[in-house]
Amino acid sequence: LFLAVVPLGVAIPLWKYFALQGVQYVVTDEALYVKRGVLTRSVTQANLETVQNSSFGQDITGSIFGYGSVTFEIAGGDDLSFRAIEDPRAIRALVDQTTSNDDGLGGGDRQESVIPGDLTKWQQIRDEIRAIRSTLEE
């Protein structure tokens, strides 16, 4: 029985190690990618324009050693998670900064010409909506 349990006790952590080593997370200025696989390859991609929300989490060992997970809510699709990554708060901040823009219209240079009106008019509308919301919240 001992000879059967010892290889199993070694195989499970070894498999988990290779599973973690077989995952790569990539953030570009256009998309998020999760690449998985040791013997085969699976790639999941989400455009940054479709990221609606993000959150990060760390358990107690993650807080001590500086690793954790970040989950991105994707519009019209499944959530995308970066697990066991170093400094999850910084990754979340990077993606949030990339997906948001100070003018509130999203994506920086990605402003589409199909939106009627100019930027100034939309900023005025945004300011009016914020004023209405703050009045309602009081």
Side-chain angles (χ1 to χ4, degrees), residues 26-122:
V26 179
V27 178
T28 68
D29 60 346
E30 296 288 326
L32 303 170
Y33 299 90
V34 178
K35 299 177 181 182
R36 288 187 171 87
V38 176
L39 301 176
T40 61
R41 178 65 70 184
S42 167
V43 178
T44 305
Q45 182 243 347
N47 291 329
L48 287 178
E49 296 169 347
T50 62
V51 174
Q52 291 183 326
N53 198 7
S54 65
S55 62
F56 79 95
Q58 291 179 299
D59 58 16
I60 191 157
T61 57
S63 296
I64 293 169
F65 296 109
Y67 70 90
S69 298
V70 181
T71 301
F72 302 100
E73 292 179 18
I74 307 300
D78 294 332
D79 292 351
L80 197 63
S81 293
F82 289 10
R83 293 188 170 100
I85 60 170
E86 191 174 318
D87 201 0
R89 185 175 292 168
I91 299 299
R92 178 185 179 205
L94 173 69
V95 173
D96 286 349
Q97 177 184 1
T98 305
T99 58
S100 67
N101 191 2
D102 291 340
D103 62 14
L105 295 176
D109 295 335
R110 295 185 208 134
Q111 186 177 357
E112 299 286 333
S113 60
V114 295
I115 299 174
D118 63 349
L119 180 61
T120 306
K121 188 164 285 243
W122 284 106

